[in-house]
Amino acid sequence: MNSQLSCFIPVPAHSDFTIHNLPYGIFSRCKEGERRVGVAIGEWILDLAALEQAGILRLSEHECYFNQPNLNKFIESGSSNWHKVRRELQALLALDNPRLQHDAALQQQVLYKQQDAIMHLPVQISGYTDFYSSKEHATNVGCMFRDPKNALLPNWSELPVGYNGRASSVVVSGTEIVRPSGQIKLPEQERPVFSATRKLDFELETAFIVGKPSRLGQPIHIEDAEAHIFGMVLLNDWSARDIQQWEYVPLGPFNAKTFASAISPWVVTMQALQPFKMQGPVQEPRPLAYLQENVESSYDIQLSVEIQTPQSDSADVICQTNFKYMYWSMAQQLTHHTISGCNVNVGDLMGSGTISGSTKDSYGSLLELTWNSTTPLNLANGEQRSFLQDGDTVIMKGHAEKDGIRVGFGEVRNTILPALSFDFAEAVQVQHETV
Amino acid sequence: MNSQLSCFIPVPAHSDFTIHNLPYGIFSRCKEGERRVGVAIGEWILDLAALEQAGILRLSEHECYFNQPNLNKFIESGSSNWHKVRRELQALLALDNPRLQHDAALQQQVLYKQQDAIMHLPVQISGYTDFYSSKEHATNVGCMFRDPKNALLPNWSELPVGYNGRASSVVVSGTEIVRPSGQIKLPEQERPVFSATRKLDFELETAFIVGKPSRLGQPIHIEDAEAHIFGMVLLNDWSARDIQQWEYVPLGPFNAKTFASAISPWVVTMQALQPFKMQGPVQEPRPLAYLQENVESSYDIQLSVEIQTPQSDSADVICQTNFKYMYWSMAQQLTHHTISGCNVNVGDLMGSGTISGSTKDSYGSLLELTWNSTTPLNLANGEQRSFLQDGDTVIMKGHAEKDGIRVGFGEVRNTILPALSFDFAEAVQVQHETV
């Protein structure tokens, strides 16, 4: 445990980015600027590409790992390098190390204020899978949309239910989200209508990033699964509930989710999260053998959702929950993902599914918080929300804290833009009528 | 129409690879050899990388488009290049052109026998989506697994139902398929068991490859949709029916499909398919405006499935159908895919869904052909099949033919290997018992 580590760079109280964390991200100094690997420390970014160039952080004589537009090459280089870089950066930042601390010129080359940098997607995401591993969330959804008496489907307790998501539309925090349009079915009408979604929602999730590939036809053993994980991010799995309800039977959600999924820019490594490991919930029935774990595999990570409307001066916290409530672990998710032979690649993103706790203030979506609009949320400034309105900003935060050590994710933050005006559909309509 | 084109390379009767076709693929001369772009002509491959190097086929002074491990760079270069290369190759291969025809040394450099080459995945697939657009298939499945009286779900006739597939496990024809294992639920047991699938099935599909990207938040207009498509391949969407039935509610198929999806190695361009364009089925109800088309958008492509067992001397044709039966067109699929704002990338693969006709011999899966094992298939040598057995080979073929012009896909062919022996699961079991 590195509980005695002190950093020469001042780290504000309650900062997520302590010397115990050192999350990786991709930044540039201007919008079209060159993308590089950086590490967050306090309010700063340590530029690993510059450290590499200066010969201070070198993994190989000839290869650049950090002057890269994503983390994939570094991640692919393997876990011994992940450990090495963490050790070297903790040493370089340590209070007792003069190397960077007493070299103002070097500091100028390798340290940037986070507020001056632009963050990008940290990894090239080759595949995106989203699980559904919160028992509370699955039960809530089952109550609302299926049968309250049998809210949890029989397969849910036997396997970590998941589905393939759309990787192309995973975006980084800060990206504005255009309200999606599509087919929705109103109860009073026989046919669906084309409309902007009236039920735009967030889903509070975390996601892990695969760090070590597996081969087609070769499942990952449950005991090896964590070694295949590089780190975690926050994930807002944006959802259009009315589109979803009309389209999702029998093949699952599609347009309702593929318009955007947003992640936080800093990847917190599994090494940084080790102090916060804990036992997950008891699994009853006991899973089939291939899903059985012998070790602690959950994490104590506090999560919250805030909403800020255009009319409010500050954000309202509308959900507080914890990753530790997740029924299925990341190791179980990954093993199950590969059990029939599916291969995974470095950069694959695997979402937890919405993380809801057992109390109403811990539900991870507006669908649950407002029970599908039946109990709207009252915000501090007097406004109400059932689902999101244009201009609303959703902010998700997450951090772990124990024995004076804090390791956090920063945030994923997105603002809603109005729907497209769709002369699109009308143009076709008109044209067709006149042919 | 190029109906008068003659090729100096002899093209056998009934060859899919005429001068009217010129499909693109990625080949190498040995297993670990360098991958390059080639075009199939008769029994030969024309090596475009060699033609580019020799200065005979150049798209740019400085860039190599064909000395590449996949088609993506060429496809990204745009449709004017697709047209240019097609024109130049048709001219180079024409009977009245001496350039290659009378240069034996050049022929040696640029022509390889297909039987001596190894074919690879033609594109780097950034996303894989599978639709469900055959009315006959959706009706058959609905009859078997849901309600025969309401086999087609209400959304089916309103939108091209689709779901995100798993891109990482898309493999090329020739890849051996390991029988997948996973959770299956036997009717007589309360809990699922871990088992190799007992219901391994194929799905006869075609797929199109996206040739022009779209931006996040910017739907593709139905009239522009075909211009975003580069070409088509055959697709066998391998399926484990028992795993699927247990897992698929509510988020769709996952392990049952992610173990492998196989495509034919030659990408037939939309240009080559133009002569076979035709009107698709009448759509009733008339689709919402954004899905309405003013032009013919189906294709007359004959498709078949053959099965060869280890005991038989030759393959049995067990399905004959046609792409023209598809209810939703590729343009409608692509427009619907992007309608809520999802972006597509060059190299995205979009499967049609199983293509079944209205008669029993035209069903595109064993699930339908044997009505979920109730009417097993009788093969010519006396064997029966309900689902696939280890050692079976499934061969899918497809071609279009009209006015003496033939344009075909070749085949997608895979053989089933036995399931893994899974000391995997047992090891965990034993270990856990002794802790």
Side-chain angles (χ1 to χ4, degrees):
Chain A
M1 191 88 114
N2 300 317
S3 58
Q4 301 313 312
L5 275 178
S6 290
C7 181
F8 77 84
I9 295 175
V11 174
H14 308 302
S15 170
D16 284 346
F17 305 131
T18 64
I19 193 169
H20 303 283
N21 191 353
L22 304 182
Y24 295 91
I26 297 292
F27 76 103
S28 65
R29 295 179 69 186
C30 57
K31 205 167 168 210
E32 301 301 325
E34 201 183 39
R35 300 182 184 197
R36 289 164 289 171
V37 177
V39 155
I41 180 76
E43 294 169 334
W44 299 84
I45 297 173
L46 186 58
D47 180 346
L48 299 202
L51 285 176
E52 185 177 49
Q53 174 127 34
I56 295 169
L57 182 71
R58 286 214 74 89
L59 296 178
S60 116
E61 288 262 335
H62 309 291
E63 300 269 341
C64 283
Y65 289 92
F66 302 115
N67 194 9
Q68 297 286 340
N70 54 58
L71 296 173
N72 294 56
K73 187 171 174 185
F74 168 58
I75 298 175
E76 280 161 9
S77 79
S79 59
S80 62
N81 277 338
W82 312 345
H83 286 88
K84 179 168 189 254
V85 171
R86 180 172 172 84
R87 272 196 314 272
E88 293 194 10
L89 293 181
Q90 284 187 330
L92 185 67
L93 294 168
L95 196 56
D96 58 4
N97 186 341
R99 181 74 184 84
L100 176 57
Q101 186 174 182
H102 296 160
D103 187 336
L106 183 60
Q107 286 186 18
Q108 279 243 320
Q109 280 173 51
V110 304
L111 285 171
Y112 302 99
K113 275 278 191 190
Q114 284 167 29
Q115 67 191 37
D116 297 334
I118 293 169
M119 299 305 298
H120 305 275
L121 266 190
V123 283
Q124 185 177 346
I125 298 167
S126 43
Y128 165 40
T129 299
D130 199 22
F131 288 92
Y132 187 59
S133 291
S134 156
K135 193 170 193 167
E136 292 78 6
H137 171 68
T139 304
N140 287 340
V141 172
C143 277
M144 275 182 271
F145 291 127
R146 287 178 293 268
D147 175 7
K149 286 188 205 118
N150 297 291
L152 220 50
L153 290 164
N155 60 12
W156 196 93
S157 310
E158 297 286 358
L159 55 86
V161 171
Y163 71 104
N164 303 299
R166 176 77 189 173
S168 72
S169 51
V170 177
V171 297
V172 74
S173 175
T175 306
E176 293 174 313
I177 307 295
V178 176
R179 177 181 296 272
S181 297
Q183 291 195 18
I184 63 177
K185 178 73 171 56
L186 303 171
E188 67 273 17
Q189 297 196 352
E190 199 179 322
R191 292 192 59 194
V193 296
F194 183 82
S195 168
T197 179
R198 299 157 192 204
K199 294 192 173 181
L200 183 57
D201 200 359
F202 59 80
E203 288 192 338
L204 170 62
E205 304 193 17
T206 61
F208 66 85
I209 288 166
V210 172
K212 185 179 162 188
S214 72
R215 284 172 53 200
L216 189 68
Q218 297 290 332
I220 296 174
H221 194 290
I222 187 82
E223 289 187 358
D224 301 329
E226 275 231 351
H228 284 262
I229 302 177
F230 175 71
M232 292 174 72
V233 291
L234 301 173
L235 167 66
N236 183 346
D237 189 36
W238 288 96
S239 300
R241 299 298 178 194
D242 40 11
I243 296 175
Q244 184 175 355
Q245 202 176 353
W246 170 236
E247 75 176 357
Y248 90 103
V249 178
L251 298 182
F254 188 58
N255 283 345
K257 301 272 193 175
T258 58
F259 64 93
S261 313
I263 62 174
S264 53
W266 295 107
V267 183
V268 176
T269 64
M270 297 317 291
Q271 293 159 264
L273 290 167
Q274 286 316 296
F276 313 102
K277 220 165 182 171
M278 61 176 291
Q279 191 75 46
V282 173
Q283 296 183 317
E284 182 55 46
R286 188 186 184 201
L288 296 190
Y290 78 98
L291 291 172
Q292 288 171 14
E293 295 179 287
N294 297 322
V295 293
E296 292 187 339
S297 62
S298 193
Y299 292 86
D300 183 0
I301 302 170
Q302 299 174 48
L303 300 164
S304 67
V305 182
E306 300 172 18
I307 182 171
Q308 173 141 20
T309 74
Q311 284 74 43
S312 64
D313 296 327
S314 63
D316 283 54
V317 176
I318 59 171
C319 162
Q320 287 186 294
T321 183
N322 196 302
F323 181 81
K324 70 185 176 189
Y325 299 134
M326 300 303 289
Y327 188 85
W328 295 103
S329 73
M330 294 183 280
Q332 288 174 320
Q333 291 170 338
L334 187 53
T335 289
H336 181 71
H337 199 307
T338 62
I339 191 64
S340 67
C342 181
N343 54 328
V344 297
N345 290 315
V346 167
D348 281 349
L349 185 76
M350 310 258 170
S352 59
T354 308
I355 302 174
S356 293
S358 56
T359 57
K360 182 160 176 171
D361 59 356
S362 67
Y363 294 169
S365 65
L366 281 173
L367 177 71
E368 296 163 270
L369 288 164
T370 73
W371 212 253
N372 198 15
S373 310
T374 56
T375 58
L377 281 185
N378 296 307
L379 303 183
N381 70 349
E383 287 185 278
Q384 280 199 330
R385 282 293 181 278
S386 291
F387 287 99
L388 294 166
Q389 297 187 7
D390 294 344
D392 286 353
T393 298
V394 176
I395 307 131
M396 296 179 176
K397 297 179 180 171
H399 74 275
E401 199 156 15
K402 187 180 176 185
D403 301 336
I405 294 178
R406 180 167 166 135
V407 165
F409 290 81
E411 62 180 31
V412 54
R413 169 192 294 259
N414 307 92
T415 300
I416 310 300
L417 296 184
L420 298 181
S421 66
F422 276 96
D423 33 317
F424 181 81
E426 280 149 33
V428 180
Q429 183 85 58
V430 170
Q431 208 166 42
H432 203 92
E433 307 291 354
T434 58
V435 165
Chain B
M1 189 90 110
N2 299 316
S3 60
Q4 301 313 313
L5 273 179
S6 289
C7 181
F8 77 83
I9 294 174
V11 174
H14 308 302
S15 171
D16 283 347
F17 305 131
T18 63
I19 194 169
H20 303 283
N21 191 352
L22 304 182
Y24 295 92
I26 297 293
F27 76 103
S28 65
R29 296 180 66 187
C30 56
K31 204 167 168 210
E32 301 301 326
E34 201 184 36
R35 299 182 185 197
R36 289 165 288 172
V37 177
V39 154
I41 180 76
E43 294 170 334
W44 299 84
I45 298 173
L46 186 59
D47 180 345
L48 300 201
L51 284 177
E52 185 177 49
Q53 173 127 34
I56 296 170
L57 182 72
R58 285 214 74 88
L59 297 178
S60 118
E61 288 262 336
H62 308 292
E63 299 269 341
C64 283
Y65 288 91
F66 302 114
N67 195 8
Q68 296 285 342
N70 55 56
L71 295 172
N72 294 55
K73 188 171 175 185
F74 168 59
I75 298 176
E76 280 161 9
S77 79
S79 59
S80 61
N81 277 338
W82 312 345
H83 286 87
K84 179 168 190 255
V85 171
R86 181 174 171 84
R87 273 196 313 271
E88 293 195 11
L89 293 181
Q90 284 186 331
L92 186 68
L93 294 168
L95 197 54
D96 58 4
N97 185 341
R99 180 72 182 87
L100 178 57
Q101 187 175 180
H102 296 160
D103 188 338
L106 183 61
Q107 287 186 18
Q108 279 242 320
Q109 280 174 50
V110 304
L111 285 170
Y112 301 100
K113 275 278 190 189
Q114 282 168 29
Q115 68 190 36
D116 297 335
I118 293 169
M119 299 305 298
H120 304 276
L121 266 190
V123 282
Q124 186 177 344
I125 299 167
S126 42
Y128 165 40
T129 299
D130 200 22
F131 287 92
Y132 187 58
S133 291
S134 155
K135 192 170 195 167
E136 292 78 5
H137 171 68
T139 305
N140 287 339
V141 172
C143 277
M144 275 182 269
F145 290 127
R146 287 180 291 270
D147 175 6
K149 285 188 207 120
N150 298 290
L152 220 49
L153 290 163
N155 60 11
W156 196 93
S157 310
E158 297 285 358
L159 56 86
V161 171
Y163 71 105
N164 303 299
R166 176 77 189 173
S168 72
S169 51
V170 178
V171 297
V172 74
S173 175
T175 306
E176 293 175 313
I177 307 295
V178 176
R179 177 180 296 273
S181 297
Q183 291 195 17
I184 64 178
K185 178 72 170 58
L186 303 171
E188 67 274 16
Q189 297 196 351
E190 199 179 322
R191 291 192 60 194
V193 296
F194 184 83
S195 169
T197 179
R198 299 158 193 202
K199 294 191 173 181
L200 183 57
D201 200 359
F202 59 81
E203 287 192 341
L204 170 62
E205 304 192 18
T206 61
F208 67 85
I209 289 166
V210 172
K212 185 179 163 190
S214 72
R215 284 172 53 200
L216 189 69
Q218 297 291 333
I220 296 174
H221 194 290
I222 188 83
E223 290 186 359
D224 301 330
E226 275 231 351
H228 284 262
I229 302 178
F230 175 71
M232 292 175 70
V233 292
L234 301 172
L235 167 65
N236 183 346
D237 189 36
W238 288 96
S239 299
R241 300 297 178 193
D242 40 9
I243 296 174
Q244 185 175 355
Q245 201 176 353
W246 170 236
E247 76 177 356
Y248 91 102
V249 179
L251 297 183
F254 188 57
N255 283 345
K257 303 269 194 177
T258 58
F259 63 93
S261 313
I263 63 173
S264 53
W266 295 108
V267 183
V268 176
T269 64
M270 297 319 289
Q271 293 159 265
L273 290 167
Q274 286 316 296
F276 313 102
K277 220 165 181 169
M278 60 176 290
Q279 190 74 46
V282 173
Q283 296 184 317
E284 183 52 47
R286 189 184 184 203
L288 296 189
Y290 78 97
L291 290 173
Q292 288 171 14
E293 295 179 287
N294 297 322
V295 294
E296 292 187 338
S297 63
S298 193
Y299 292 86
D300 183 0
I301 302 170
Q302 300 175 48
L303 300 164
S304 67
V305 183
E306 300 172 18
I307 182 171
Q308 172 139 21
T309 74
Q311 283 75 43
S312 63
D313 296 327
S314 63
D316 284 54
V317 176
I318 58 172
C319 162
Q320 286 185 297
T321 184
N322 196 305
F323 182 80
K324 70 185 177 189
Y325 299 134
M326 300 304 288
Y327 187 86
W328 295 103
S329 72
M330 294 182 281
Q332 289 174 320
Q333 290 170 340
L334 187 52
T335 289
H336 181 72
H337 199 306
T338 62
I339 191 63
S340 67
C342 181
N343 54 329
V344 298
N345 290 315
V346 168
D348 281 348
L349 185 76
M350 310 259 171
S352 59
T354 307
I355 302 174
S356 292
S358 56
T359 57
K360 181 157 177 173
D361 59 357
S362 68
Y363 293 168
S365 66
L366 281 173
L367 177 71
E368 295 163 271
L369 287 165
T370 73
W371 212 252
N372 198 13
S373 308
T374 56
T375 57
L377 281 184
N378 294 308
L379 304 183
N381 71 349
E383 287 185 277
Q384 282 198 330
R385 282 294 179 278
S386 292
F387 287 99
L388 294 165
Q389 296 188 6
D390 294 345
D392 287 351
T393 299
V394 176
I395 306 132
M396 295 178 176
K397 297 178 179 172
H399 75 276
E401 199 155 14
K402 187 180 175 185
D403 302 334
I405 294 178
R406 180 169 167 133
V407 166
F409 291 81
E411 61 180 32
V412 54
R413 170 192 293 259
N414 307 93
T415 300
I416 310 301
L417 296 184
L420 298 181
S421 67
F422 276 96
D423 34 317
F424 182 80
E426 280 149 32
V428 180
Q429 183 85 58
V430 170
Q431 209 166 42
H432 204 92
E433 307 290 355
T434 57
V435 164

